[in-house]
């Protein structure tokens, strides 16, 4: 079975993807600088899969050691590139850190792919490239216009997509799959791996579960005066394990020579938009926990509503995100309970 290099493989989406890859029989080598993840994630992966992935504590910006890694693992056939800084707010404070980390890492990998004859790369992009699509483009498919990014983080995703397009255009040997994620949530059903936010979470679900566990006093709902049925923002929340499976499909498609274009782009979402208040109500129902929340003003830079048209991924990748949201929210809660030693 092929070996896959997973950058950022101890992170949230990365770790779930490593599990799926290994369950399908792939050999995996993870590189991660552990800047936003924990080495113990490897134990969780090993418990779930029964095998431990190879791991190197390595920063993708470290070109000489990255070069040596490819030499040590000459059987790497594809790369899944997750490693990146990902906090929107932090990117506004530290734009150069974001441009250096996120763009430099990709450039190093693409250069070394040519040197070491690695032909396939999957890139983690985001629905953030669409900004707020107009009504005619909802649900949003892959042909919707790209809009000017609202943050340096979002801009790095757009620039990286362009770097991939330009590189593939100039080098017929490199094939890429760009995956535009909507909002990943939940944790592995074993509760052995999940999301480990650093400090105060920015994203909705970790904030919900931390509030439910008593770590935070109450959740703030950012705005109920949007032009949506209940006034709160709408997103396409996708189960992280479903998302992980799409990466395996993308790798399989490239390795088996089925990709029809040198760069293929897929939206990864459920096709269903849910409001913040719907998520809260469903979480309360499935967890049975009384969750304190209050409505506050809008959060700057928030998109009002966006959800995916996942038809292309469904039909071309043969993949569908179909885990019921109740089950997904319960998985997030079970993970939080395990982390906090509840029950
Ligand atoms: N929200 C709250 N309270 C919170 C946190 C979030 O009400 O404490 C709301 C937000 O206002 C938003 C929704 O929950 O309406 C989802 O917010 P998230 O921060 O979880 O997700 P976003 O859709 O804002 O951001 C995500 C990723 C970004 C990415 C963006 C693309 O976190 O990396 O999608 O749209 F850029």
């Amino acid at each position: 079975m092929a070996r896959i290099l997973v950058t950022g493989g101890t992170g949230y989406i990365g770790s779930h993807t490593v599990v799926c890859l290994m369950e399908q029989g792939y050999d995996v080598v993870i590189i991660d600088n552990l800047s936003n993840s924990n080495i113990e994630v490897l134990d969780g992966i090993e418990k779930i899969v029964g095998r431990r992935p190879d791991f190197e504590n390595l920063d993708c910006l470290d070109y000489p050691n990255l070069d040596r890694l490819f030499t040590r693992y000459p059987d790497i056939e594809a790369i899944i590139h997750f490693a990146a800084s990902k906090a929107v707010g932090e990117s506004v404070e530290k734009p150069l850190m974001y441009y250096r980390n996120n763009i430099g890492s990709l450039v190093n990998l693409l250069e070394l792919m040519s040197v070491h004859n690695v032909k396939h790369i999957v890139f983690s992009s985001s629905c953030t490239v669409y900004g707020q699509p107009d009504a005619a483009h909802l649900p949003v498919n892959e042909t919707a216009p790209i809009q000017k990014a609202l943050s340096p983080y979002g801009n790095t995703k757009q620039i990286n997509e362009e770097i991939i397009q330009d590189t593939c255009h100039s080098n017929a040997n490199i094939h890429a799959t760009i995956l535009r994620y909507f909002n990943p949530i939940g944790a592995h059903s074993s509760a052995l791996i999940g999301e480990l936010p650093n400090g105060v979470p920015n994203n909705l679900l970790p904030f919900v579960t931390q509030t439910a566990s008593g770590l935070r006093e109450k959740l703030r709902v950012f705005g109920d005066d949007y032009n949506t049925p209940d006034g709160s923002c709408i997103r396409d929340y996708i189960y992280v394990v479903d998302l992980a499976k799409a990466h395996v499909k993308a790798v399989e498609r490239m390795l088996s020579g089925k990709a029809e274009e040198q760069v293929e782009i897929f939206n990864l979402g459920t096709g269903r938009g849910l409001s913040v208040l719907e998520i809260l109500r469903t979480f309360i129902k499935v967890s049975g926990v009384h969750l304190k929340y209050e409505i506050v003003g809008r959060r700057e830079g928030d998109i009002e509503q966006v959800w995916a048209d996942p038809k292309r991924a469904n039909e071309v990748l043969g993949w569908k995100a179909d885990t019921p949201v109740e089950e997904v929210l319960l998985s997030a809660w079970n993970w939080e309970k395990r982390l906090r030693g509840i029950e």
Side-chain angles (χ1 to χ4, degrees):
M1 216 40 179
R3 181 183 290 279
I4 315 295
L5 169 63
V6 181
T7 78
T10 51
Y12 175 43
I13 307 172
S15 57
H16 289 84
T17 301
V18 169
V19 165
C20 289
L21 286 166
M22 293 178 77
E23 283 175 344
Q24 293 304 310
Y26 288 97
D27 290 322
V28 171
V29 54
I30 294 175
I31 59 173
D32 203 302
N33 66 2
L34 301 176
S35 61
N36 194 23
S37 62
N38 192 318
I39 190 76
E40 284 153 25
V41 168
L42 297 177
D43 300 333
I45 295 172
E46 187 176 2
K47 274 194 194 131
I48 295 169
V49 183
R51 283 187 295 147
R52 199 171 178 88
D54 288 348
F55 172 81
E56 303 262 342
N57 184 337
L58 181 55
D59 193 313
C60 294
L61 292 179
D62 181 351
Y63 188 96
N65 280 315
L66 203 51
D67 191 10
R68 280 180 211 116
L69 178 105
F70 280 103
T71 305
R72 266 206 311 287
Y73 291 95
D75 55 344
I76 291 172
E77 289 189 34
I79 301 170
I80 306 183
H81 181 39
F82 293 105
S85 304
K86 63 171 187 179
V88 175
E90 183 185 48
S91 80
V92 176
E93 306 288 318
K94 301 175 184 166
L96 293 178
M97 178 182 132
Y98 274 67
Y99 287 116
R100 185 189 294 275
N101 279 350
N102 293 4
I103 294 171
S105 295
L106 178 69
V107 170
N108 282 350
L109 286 169
L110 291 171
E111 282 186 354
L112 287 166
M113 283 173 77
S114 290
V115 175
H116 294 275
N117 201 25
V118 178
K119 298 194 174 81
H120 308 286
I121 183 164
V122 177
F123 176 66
S124 298
S125 190
S126 164
C127 68
T128 194
V129 301
Y130 301 117
Q132 174 62 68
D134 57 34
H137 287 104
L138 275 176
V140 69
N141 69 29
E142 294 81 356
T143 64
I146 302 296
Q147 300 201 46
K148 184 174 163 43
L150 293 174
S151 69
Y153 161 77
N155 206 19
T156 66
K157 292 295 176 193
Q158 294 191 4
I159 293 169
N160 278 347
E161 287 201 7
E162 288 176 1
I163 289 173
I164 288 170
Q165 296 279 6
D166 292 346
T167 306
C168 289
H169 187 68
S170 75
N171 182 344
N173 282 325
I174 296 184
H175 285 73
T177 307
I178 292 171
L179 301 178
R180 294 179 178 153
Y181 311 152
F182 284 68
N183 289 57
I185 59 167
H188 193 267
S189 57
S190 63
L192 289 165
I193 55 171
E195 192 167 6
L196 274 174
N198 214 344
V200 182
N202 294 307
N203 294 117
L204 180 62
L205 245 291
F207 212 105
V208 166
T209 57
Q210 288 194 3
T211 308
S213 73
L215 202 66
R216 316 253 159 231
E217 198 203 326
K218 62 183 161 197
L219 177 93
R220 291 176 304 157
V221 174
F222 297 130
D224 70 347
D225 57 352
Y226 284 98
N227 186 22
T228 60
D230 67 20
S232 64
C233 292
I234 292 177
R235 295 287 184 275
D236 188 333
Y237 295 94
I238 173 174
Y239 184 36
V240 67
V241 176
D242 288 337
L243 184 63
K245 288 178 182 163
H247 294 75
V248 181
K249 293 277 189 185
V251 164
E252 275 168 11
R253 182 171 165 83
M254 286 196 290
L255 290 182
S256 62
K258 291 201 184 113
E260 281 160 14
E261 293 156 82
Q262 214 184 329
V263 182
E264 292 194 319
I265 302 179
F266 297 98
N267 281 351
L268 299 181
T270 66
R272 182 178 173 210
L274 289 174
S275 74
V276 175
L277 292 171
E278 283 174 313
I279 288 283
L280 296 190
R281 268 188 235 110
T282 311
F283 181 84
I284 291 166
K285 191 178 80 194
V286 298
S287 69
V289 175
H290 174 70
L291 185 74
K292 264 174 84 178
Y293 66 86
E294 64 172 338
I295 313 283
V296 300
R298 294 180 176 196
R299 181 171 72 175
E300 200 189 322
D302 258 344
I303 302 285
E304 179 175 274
Q305 47 187 324
V306 63
W307 67 99
D309 176 353
K311 192 160 169 261
R312 188 174 142 75
N314 296 165
E315 290 176 358
V316 179
L317 277 185
W319 164 91
K320 199 171 188 326
D322 51 12
T323 309
V325 69
E326 289 81 5
E327 195 180 310
V328 179
L329 293 175
L330 199 54
S331 76
W333 178 226
N334 286 337
W335 164 245
E336 182 74 33
K337 283 199 292 187
R338 186 171 157 270
L339 277 182
R340 310 290 160 213
I342 298 172
E343 270 184 359

